Amino acid sequence: MPGGDYGELGGSLPAIASLNASYSTSLSIPSPYLLVPPAERKAISDVRRTFCLFVTFDVLFISLLWIIELNISSSIWESLEKEVVHYNYRSSFFDIFLLAVFRFLCLQVGYAAFRLKHWWVIAITTLVTSVFLVVKVIVSNLLSQNAFGYVLPITSFVVAWLETWFLDFKVLTQEADDERAYLAAVNAACERAPMIYPRAVSDGQFYSPPESLAGSEEDLDEEGLGRRAVTAQEKEFVRQGREAMSVVEQILAQEDNWKFEKNNDMGDSVYTLEIPFHGKTFILKALMQCSAELVYQEVILQPEKMVQWNRTVSGCQILQRVDDNTLVSYDVSAGAAGGVVSARDFVNVRRVERKRDCYLSAGMATDHDAKPPCGRYVRGENGPGGFVVLKSISNPSICTFIWVLNTDLKGRLPRYLIHQSLAATMFEFMTHLRQRISDLRPSLRSHHHI
């Protein structure tokens, strides 16, 4: 369908104008994940931990260079006595080692122990390092001794400024973005709170019973009318499915924050959204010229049959049906980017829900004894994501399809290549889905006439 058709059908599909309006009466309790302050989710963020490791590398690398220098002209003990016991500012490298220790202690105490969010500590360490090294190079005779007279001062100077750059442009910036995302989620949840209504009852073995607004979330075991979670592992699967569903709902509620990436000739668009501690999430939004129930049946209710028409997937197996709304699946993706990205396998927990104006399937990575990692595939890991099919109130023959994808393909692949391949894979999936719907229509029409 050409991209221009969006304008003609826009009036009949309010969900295209705003997902927030479509979800204002159907979102459940705000996600416990996104509503936990960033400082409480982890003791220390991933990017800050990387910074601390780099600071440790700094002191260890300078120490190694100094030890090598001690062994060049004489034994290490004689050199230690000369440079430490009989310390001389003009000829000793011992102070450069102490400078590295000074940086290590200050930065680890400030940014690891106290988790400071200001640059003043590293400003002091970098200033002291720079002034000390410049003065030492000018007044000392290190450059006439050996090659380490050049290597140690230059290395110490460069590493100190790399630490400053990493903290200022990576650590503090990313943590500030995480904090803003948290505040945005809180504000969105507060604005939606008066319009929340109870979640619909289960779909019963993944079929589509008449919708009911009666339901309770008091106990995980009491949700379904049929199969129920019994064991501790099954309850954990249900909990993971609920968590994934809550995060997906929060992502949908933040449509204004989606960043447009690209679109195709059919009018499908791919957006991205940075999720704290999960990274970049890809969101595909497409208008389908078919009923929501048909897409729901093909994409959400029958994931194991998707391999018959979806070439981006080479295998799908249902490992366990946990309860009426939750299952665990094993999925194998086809290669991408012309074979540069090899096939990956995933073990996912999925939760399916049917609501008044939409169908949802949300999932995330999990572990299952039936499919441990094997050497044949690289085991990928999916963050919270899934499929959403929005109904059109005024025109039941069209719907909006949304795919939320957050995945870590593992392996040693360049990030830009992964992002390009994911967007291309999402567009390819839509091509196969439209072809599948087109193939089904003749059989549906003949069945209707019979």
Side-chain angles (χ1 to χ4, degrees), residues 129-149:
T129 298
S130 301
V131 172
F132 183 90
L133 290 174
V134 169
V135 173
K136 187 175 182 67
V137 169
I138 292 174
V139 304
S140 70
N141 57 359
L142 294 178
L143 303 182
S144 62
Q145 293 187 27
N146 52 53
F148 283 91

Side-chain angles (χ1 to χ4, degrees), residues 371-389:
K371 285 292 182 180
C374 63
R376 183 178 179 184
Y377 300 108
V378 176
R379 174 61 53 89
E381 183 174 332
N382 285 326
F387 301 109
V388 181
V389 186

Side-chain angles (χ1 to χ4, degrees), residues 24-38:
S24 62
T25 59
S26 64
L27 283 177
S28 58
I29 296 174
S31 166
Y33 170 79
L34 284 178
L35 298 187
V36 176

Side-chain angles (χ1 to χ4, degrees), residues 53-95:
L53 287 175
F54 186 72
V55 171
T56 304
F57 165 79
D58 173 16
V59 69
L60 293 177
F61 187 56
I62 296 299
S63 301
L64 177 63
L65 291 177
W66 183 51
I67 292 172
I68 295 174
E69 185 273 334
L70 291 174
N71 280 285
I72 289 181
S73 57
S74 59
S75 68
I76 187 171
W77 302 114
E78 293 177 356
S79 298
L80 278 174
E81 182 179 0
K82 176 183 176 182
E83 295 197 12
V84 178
V85 178
H86 305 293
Y87 169 75
N88 186 325
Y89 177 76
R90 295 176 177 272
S91 60
S92 177
F93 292 97
F94 178 56
D95 46 14

Side-chain angles (χ1 to χ4, degrees), residues 74-127:
S74 59
S75 68
I76 187 171
W77 302 114
E78 293 177 356
S79 298
L80 278 174
E81 182 179 0
K82 176 183 176 182
E83 295 197 12
V84 178
V85 178
H86 305 293
Y87 169 75
N88 186 325
Y89 177 76
R90 295 176 177 272
S91 60
S92 177
F93 292 97
F94 178 56
D95 46 14
I96 296 181
F97 164 74
L98 291 180
L99 197 61
V101 174
F102 163 74
R103 289 196 302 273
F104 173 79
L105 293 177
C106 291
L107 297 178
Q108 293 287 16
V109 170
Y111 297 111
F114 292 100
R115 298 204 293 274
L116 298 178
K117 296 185 178 180
H118 199 275
W119 46 261
W120 66 266
V121 175
I122 200 167
I124 292 174
T125 60
T126 304
L127 178 62

Side-chain angles (χ1 to χ4, degrees), residues 300-436:
I300 296 179
L301 294 188
Q302 304 179 119
E304 69 276 15
K305 294 184 179 180
M306 194 181 296
V307 66
Q308 299 175 3
W309 54 268
N310 181 14
R311 295 181 183 177
T312 65
V313 176
S314 60
C316 179
Q317 176 186 354
I318 304 301
L319 301 180
Q320 182 179 354
R321 294 190 182 273
V322 181
D323 65 12
D324 291 343
N325 295 76
T326 311
L327 61 81
V328 180
S329 67
Y330 174 72
D331 306 282
V332 181
S333 67
V340 176
V341 180
S342 62
R344 299 292 199 269
D345 68 343
F346 304 84
V347 176
N348 301 309
V349 58
R350 304 188 188 198
R351 179 176 179 82
V352 175
E353 292 185 4
R354 182 189 181 199
K355 300 196 176 185
R356 176 177 298 168
D357 56 358
C358 64
Y359 303 104
L360 301 99
S361 172
M364 61 190 300
T366 190
D367 296 313
H368 198 282
D369 296 337
K371 285 292 182 180
C374 63
R376 183 178 179 184
Y377 300 108
V378 176
R379 174 61 53 89
E381 183 174 332
N382 285 326
F387 301 109
V388 181
V389 186
L390 297 174
K391 302 177 184 178
S392 171
I393 299 176
S394 58
N395 188 352
S397 64
I398 61 175
C399 64
T400 301
F401 177 77
I402 299 166
W403 179 10
V404 179
L405 176 62
N406 182 298
T407 187
D408 183 357
L409 298 180
K410 303 298 183 181
R412 299 182 178 181
L413 295 172
R415 187 177 298 273
Y416 77 92
L417 179 61
I418 294 176
H419 292 170
Q420 288 181 356
S421 67
L422 290 179
T425 297
M426 298 178 94
F427 286 139
E428 183 182 356
F429 171 83
M430 287 308 304
T431 300
H432 298 319
L433 177 58
R434 286 194 171 93
Q435 183 61 46
R436 173 65 173 178

